Amino acid sequence: MEHLPAISVVVNFAILMVGLVMLSKKPVKAMLNEKHDSWKKNIEEAEVLREQTQAMFDEYQSKLASLDQEVERIIADAKAKGEQYKANMEERAKKNAEKIIAQAKIMADQELEKTKKALQSDALAKALLQAETTLKEKVTQDDQDFFVEGFVQEMESMKHGR
């Protein structure tokens, strides 16, 4: 009998445990199922967020790759336009230079013609002055009468020739 109080403690403890297990089985199971469902939901939400994040990441990677191509295309277009602008400017400069040269030639020709006429006029004036001086010095009254008589005869022949 000495062992009777120890056995009764063990039996009472076993009964208490069985009672606790029976009474707490449903709430504990419900709590564990709720935790399980909550974790499952959190995992599913995390998976959806991960997929959305991956899709966004892929989209931005694609945009970044196309952005590099777009930047290269823009730079190539700008270079092509710059080269075209340079060629146009060179062509216009060449045409302007040709116009300036043509105008300079025209002006030079005009100035040359003007100078020629001035020289001819000056030479003619000097020649006339020299001829007049020479005539005054060398032509006598007899020479003048001869010229006047020849002129009158020529005029009369022209008058009768009509």
Side-chain angles (χ1 to χ4, degrees), residues 1-2 4 7 21 34-35 45 48 60 64 86 106 158:
M1 284 258 174
E2 280 181 24
L4 195 54
I7 292 180
V21 167
E34 187 179 303
K35 283 286 184 188
E45 287 175 356
V48 167
Y60 286 129
L64 187 59
K86 179 183 174 185
I106 290 170
M158 286 178 71

Side-chain angles (χ1 to χ4, degrees), residues 152-162:
V152 170
Q153 285 176 1
E154 192 174 318
M155 293 303 277
E156 284 178 2
S157 70
M158 286 178 71
K159 184 177 177 185
H160 292 295
R162 272 201 225 182

Side-chain angles (χ1 to χ4, degrees), residues 65-133:
S66 67
L67 183 64
D68 288 341
Q69 293 171 351
E70 183 68 14
V71 166
E72 288 177 14
R73 185 190 63 76
I74 289 171
I75 289 172
D77 286 350
K79 284 181 180 178
K81 286 180 181 177
E83 290 298 320
Q84 182 63 38
Y85 182 74
K86 179 183 174 185
N88 289 344
M89 291 300 290
E90 287 174 349
E91 183 64 27
R92 286 197 318 195
K94 185 178 177 181
K95 286 180 181 178
N96 285 342
E98 288 171 357
K99 282 181 183 178
I100 290 170
I101 290 170
Q103 288 174 346
K105 284 181 180 179
I106 290 170
M107 290 174 65
D109 289 344
Q110 289 173 347
E111 191 63 31
L112 181 63
E113 197 60 36
K114 185 179 169 184
T115 304
K116 280 181 182 179
K117 285 181 181 178
L119 286 173
Q120 285 174 348
S121 177
D122 191 36
L124 184 60
K126 286 182 182 178
L128 285 175
L129 183 63
Q130 189 174 3
E132 183 182 351
T133 305

